[in-house]
Amino acid sequence: MKDANWDDLQLFFHVATAGGLSAAAAKTGLSPPTIGRRMLALERATGRALFTRGPTGYLLAKDGTALLERVRLMQEAAQSISDWRGEVLTLPIVSTAADSWTSRFIADHLARIWTPKDRFRMCYKTCDMNIDFTYREAHIAIRHSRPENGNIAIRRSVTVAHAAYQAASFDNDNRNWISLGTDSAITPADKWTFEQPDSWITGWTNTPHMLFHLIRGGAGRGVLPCFIGDAEPSLTRAGPIIEPLTYDMWITAHDDERQRPEVRAVIDRLAALFGENEDLFAGRKSSG
């Protein structure tokens, strides 16, 4: 027996419950001749006589009645799946915004922030510039400085330190540096390398993600947050902490949004995750 097409089974359901081709045509928009041909094809596919055809319409044969019960069960299962999928679209959303490095850290520890069991959805935004809560670009923003104004709830988090890093196999006599390009640099840490008069920059890139991989690949020394550099076994520090680049991290949210239970939950989880890694962020857990 050939496998019956689900579309034909649904069409069979309309014919069986409506009692004829014309009534099924009114429900489906298909022409009666088209429906008739497809019911004949379904009978051939199943190897069963599903209808008794007569002047009063299509009456269910014994095998047709048996199939109808099975199709009802299939429809109930399909509806259950549709309802289950639809539940996702009704779940509230929590959007977070963080710089490239912090976004990577969150992604690496995602189970601490969100799991599939949570009754809300997440949107993760990478933004190396400050978020404007006026337009609700995000519900939660992780910032490098304390907001000075606005209807914003703030929570001081950890201290973030930076240092120069190089691949563990890098030749210490090699003076090459790698940096973000001047057109991509936003933060003081981004700009530090090309602002040093004695830095021999032999390569640059336009994304922090690529900067990390180039440093690790041996392209040169480069500046990274300690919570990124110290966590990577294949990197080692190429100098002390660069004190002028140290800043305090702030977890911020629009004051109206923080009243939502799911937003409060994510704020608390972020604070806990960062707090448990305080030494790593502050550069007190060097792997070099």
Side-chain angles (χ1 to χ4, degrees):
M1 181 190 80
K2 298 179 181 178
D3 291 335
N5 184 289
W6 172 236
D7 289 338
D8 285 343
L9 291 174
Q10 289 182 302
L11 190 55
F12 162 79
F13 177 82
H14 289 301
V15 176
T17 55
L21 301 183
S22 297
K27 288 187 176 182
T28 64
L30 298 174
S31 68
T34 297
I35 298 175
R37 287 193 296 269
R38 288 177 59 175
M39 291 302 94
L40 181 60
L42 180 61
E43 288 181 318
R44 290 171 178 169
T46 59
R48 310 270 183 152
L50 304 177
F51 298 102
T52 299
R53 296 161 175 83
T56 59
Y58 273 47
L59 301 178
L60 283 177
K62 179 180 179 181
D63 285 332
T65 300
L67 179 60
L68 178 60
E69 293 306 311
R70 287 165 172 78
V71 172
R72 287 187 194 276
L73 293 175
M74 293 174 68
Q75 281 200 319
E76 290 174 1
Q79 186 61 49
S80 177
I81 293 172
S82 178
D83 292 343
W84 173 70
R85 290 182 58 203
E87 287 177 2
V88 173
L89 302 179
T90 63
L91 294 177
I93 299 173
V94 178
S95 60
T96 62
D99 65 79
S100 299
W101 301 119
T102 308
S103 293
R104 170 177 171 164
F105 186 83
I106 292 171
D108 287 343
H109 300 81
L110 186 58
R112 297 292 311 278
I113 306 303
W114 181 88
T115 72
K117 294 182 180 179
D118 283 316
R119 301 303 297 166
F120 56 86
R121 293 174 288 165
M122 290 288 297
C123 173
Y124 310 93
K125 296 183 178 181
T126 297
C127 183
D128 291 304
M129 302 180 69
N130 285 336
I131 284 290
D132 185 353
F133 282 120
T134 303
Y135 301 102
R136 307 296 173 93
E137 296 175 23
H139 301 126
I140 302 168
I142 300 167
R143 297 170 50 115
H144 295 193
S145 60
R146 178 187 177 120
E148 297 300 327
N149 50 50
N151 187 27
I152 301 173
I154 60 175
R155 183 183 297 190
R156 184 183 177 279
S157 187
V158 295
T159 296
V160 180
H162 294 71
Y165 290 86
Q166 64 188 36
S169 58
F170 194 74
D171 185 352
N172 285 326
D173 293 329
N174 193 324
R175 294 175 54 81
N176 292 350
W177 284 78
I178 183 75
S179 173
L180 285 176
T182 56
D183 58 338
S184 305
I186 296 174
T187 69
D190 296 340
K191 302 174 183 178
W192 187 87
T193 301
F194 59 71
E195 289 177 345
Q196 307 310 303
D198 57 346
S199 294
W200 180 251
I201 300 175
T202 56
W204 58 92
T205 183
N206 65 335
T207 67
H209 174 78
M210 190 61 178
L211 176 66
F212 170 84
H213 286 286
L214 288 169
I215 296 171
R216 191 175 66 175
R221 297 184 176 96
V223 175
L224 296 173
C226 292
F227 68 87
I228 295 294
D230 288 346
E232 175 52 53
S234 63
L235 295 180
T236 185
R237 285 194 194 177
I241 288 176
I242 305 170
E243 296 296 344
L245 301 182
T246 300
Y247 64 84
D248 289 336
M249 179 187 290
W250 296 83
I251 303 173
T252 66
H254 193 283
D255 199 44
D256 294 339
E257 296 292 349
R258 71 164 178 158
Q259 305 304 323
R260 293 169 48 196
E262 59 273 9
V263 172
R264 290 202 307 270
V266 173
I267 290 173
D268 290 342
R269 293 173 188 179
L270 286 168
L273 173 62
F274 297 151
E276 291 169 12
N277 290 276
E278 181 178 7
D279 287 343
L280 180 63
F281 278 89
R284 294 191 289 267
K285 279 192 175 182
S286 174
S287 61

